[in-house]
């Protein structure tokens, strides 16, 4: 399956009993057995997720670095029909997920057994859990897109950079935190 072009059948969504992910993933799973794998494009929202795995010392998750072009390959589309990064697969548990918040939460709940980066479910107060979820989504939905835009601006040759934008973005950065 990995070498074949993806078909519309692979993208059919059903919402009953998670059949979409389960059925689609089993087509991919039948061809390969791999350790849990995070599919990552450097300098994107997947970079903080890689950093978390490194900080936790997780050694049983493969980190596969992809290019933007590889996100649209049949192999990656079989894992993630959105063709985005990050994506995470764990064949032993039938898992194929791709939204950064979902990937991060799953990895924290699975590998952060000392609760270094997230509160322990069942013992955290509702306020602690709410604050964690709020901060997590704030970083993913607000801080990261802002920083990515600023960073991309600074990658341009200096004479092409919008210095007004960079200056105002640096000031705004102080209010985001």
């Amino acid at each position: 399956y990995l070498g074949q072009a993806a078909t519309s059948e692979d993208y059919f969504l059903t919402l009953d009993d998670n059949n979409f992910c389960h059925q689609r993933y089993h087509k991919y799973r039948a061809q390969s057995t791999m350790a849990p794998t995070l599919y990552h494009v450097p300098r994107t929202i997947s970079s903080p997720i890689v950093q978390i795995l490194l900080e936790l010392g997780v050694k049983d998750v493969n980190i596969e670095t992809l290019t933007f072009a590889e996100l649209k390959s049949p192999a990656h589309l079989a894992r993630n029909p959105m063709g985005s990064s990050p994506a995470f697969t764990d064949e032993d548990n039938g898992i194929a997920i791709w939204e950064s918040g979902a990937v991060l939460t799953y990895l924290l709940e699975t590998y952060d057994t000392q609760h270094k980066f997230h509160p322990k479910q069942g013992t955290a107060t509702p306020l602690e859990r709410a604050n964690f979820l709020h901060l997590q989504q704030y970083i993913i939905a607000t801080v990261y897109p802002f920083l990515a835009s600023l960073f991309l601006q600074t990658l341009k040759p200096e004479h092409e950079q919008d210095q007004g934008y960079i200056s105002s973005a640096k000031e705004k950065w102080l209010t985001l935190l």
Side-chain angles (χ1 to χ4, degrees), residues 25-130:
Y25 190 65
H26 277 295
K27 289 180 184 179
Y28 164 72
R29 188 176 170 192
Q31 291 290 323
S32 171
T33 55
M34 294 177 56
T37 303
L38 175 68
Y39 298 89
H40 154 72
V41 175
R43 298 182 181 166
T44 68
I45 192 64
S46 62
S47 294
I49 297 171
V50 170
Q51 188 63 39
I52 288 285
L53 290 174
L54 295 174
E55 290 284 330
L56 291 172
V58 175
K59 299 198 186 316
D60 60 340
V61 172
N62 292 331
I63 299 172
E64 185 171 322
T65 301
L66 302 175
T67 64
F68 284 106
E70 289 170 321
L71 292 176
K72 304 305 179 192
S73 71
H76 188 68
L77 290 170
R79 292 184 285 270
N80 174 356
M82 300 306 292
S84 59
S85 169
F88 176 79
T89 59
D90 179 351
E91 293 180 2
D92 289 342
N93 292 304
I95 296 169
I97 55 177
W98 54 84
E99 288 297 329
S100 54
V103 171
L104 179 59
T105 299
Y106 177 80
L107 292 173
L108 287 173
E109 290 177 354
T110 303
Y111 297 102
D112 185 13
T113 58
Q114 299 298 311
H115 304 282
K116 184 176 177 182
F117 296 111
H118 77 291
K120 186 175 183 179
Q121 286 185 311
T123 61
T125 67
L127 178 59
E128 290 169 331
R129 179 98 174 118

